[in-house]
Amino acid sequence: MNEELRELYQELIIDHGRHPRNFKKLDNPTYCQEGFNPLCGDRLVVYLRVENDCVVDASFEGTGCAISVASASLMTEQIKGKTLEQAERLFKAFHQFVTEPESLDITMESLGKLTVLGGVREFPSRIKCATLAWHTLKAGLDHQDPSLVVSTE
Ligand code: ZN
């Protein structure tokens, strides 16, 4: 990766880490899931509003390092408007992208801004920070019970 691109990526992560998008509690979530990364101390709650198998709204709140907050911020931006199936596919693709990019079966372009988080591959301990919001999302979708708040520990 060239230096200019790397700096651009870092700026985007810092921006989303300091000024996270969709950082709030949703009023009427259909899914609500807590996630915790004990390695770093990141703790997030992801809220989703799903109607007709489509994510119509997504938000999160909590505390964590810049990577975990930026990742959650970018995730909520990306999954809004997606169907549950598309959101699930994006989860899988993002996970592959940061853990085993050689097996990625979609194009980098379809990951959009999420590719800025590829830098965490150089720092294995930060991969959990980058994927926390996504694992929390997945756990929330798998439970399918809005009254349940379960930690992913
Ligand atoms: Zn972290």
Side-chain angles (χ1 to χ4, degrees):
M1 195 191 293
N2 70 47
E3 211 44 48
E4 213 170 303
L5 199 61
R6 190 186 293 265
E7 266 172 38
L8 193 76
Y9 280 13
Q10 272 169 359
E11 268 172 38
L12 200 69
I13 290 172
I14 291 167
D15 177 38
H16 276 263
R18 285 193 186 147
H19 311 286
R21 319 303 195 267
N22 308 306
F23 189 77
K24 61 181 181 197
K25 190 176 185 302
L26 273 197
D27 285 338
N28 294 301
T30 49
Y31 296 88
C32 167
Q33 176 76 39
E34 185 182 18
F36 179 53
N37 170 19
L39 286 178
C40 180
D42 311 313
R43 195 179 283 278
L44 304 173
V45 179
V46 172
Y47 301 94
L48 291 184
R49 170 135 202 95
V50 176
E51 286 169 13
N52 301 322
D53 281 340
C54 186
V55 180
V56 292
D57 208 356
S59 71
F60 77 104
E61 54 179 11
T63 53
C65 64
I67 300 279
S68 66
V69 171
S71 177
S73 172
L74 288 161
M75 181 189 82
T76 53
E77 272 192 341
Q78 293 281 324
I79 60 170
K80 256 194 231 186
K82 294 254 188 315
T83 64
L84 290 180
E85 200 190 323
Q86 287 170 330
E88 192 118 354
R89 221 179 300 148
L90 201 58
F91 160 81
K92 193 173 155 239
F94 179 70
H95 196 258
Q96 272 179 339
F97 173 69
V98 292
T99 55
E100 36 174 3
E102 60 286 341
S103 64
L104 193 65
D105 52 11
I106 62 165
T107 61
M108 289 276 279
E109 286 73 35
S110 50
L111 282 170
K113 275 193 218 164
L114 299 175
T115 54
V116 301
L117 291 156
V120 298
R121 281 195 297 261
E122 292 167 45
F123 311 95
S125 64
R126 310 313 295 274
I127 288 176
K128 281 209 187 307
C129 301
T131 56
L132 175 64
W134 290 89
H135 281 297
T136 308
L137 167 77
K138 180 79 166 68
L141 293 178
D142 288 349
H143 279 300
Q144 311 247 344
D145 182 350
S147 63
L148 220 61
V149 177
V150 186
S151 169
T152 51
E153 277 174 78

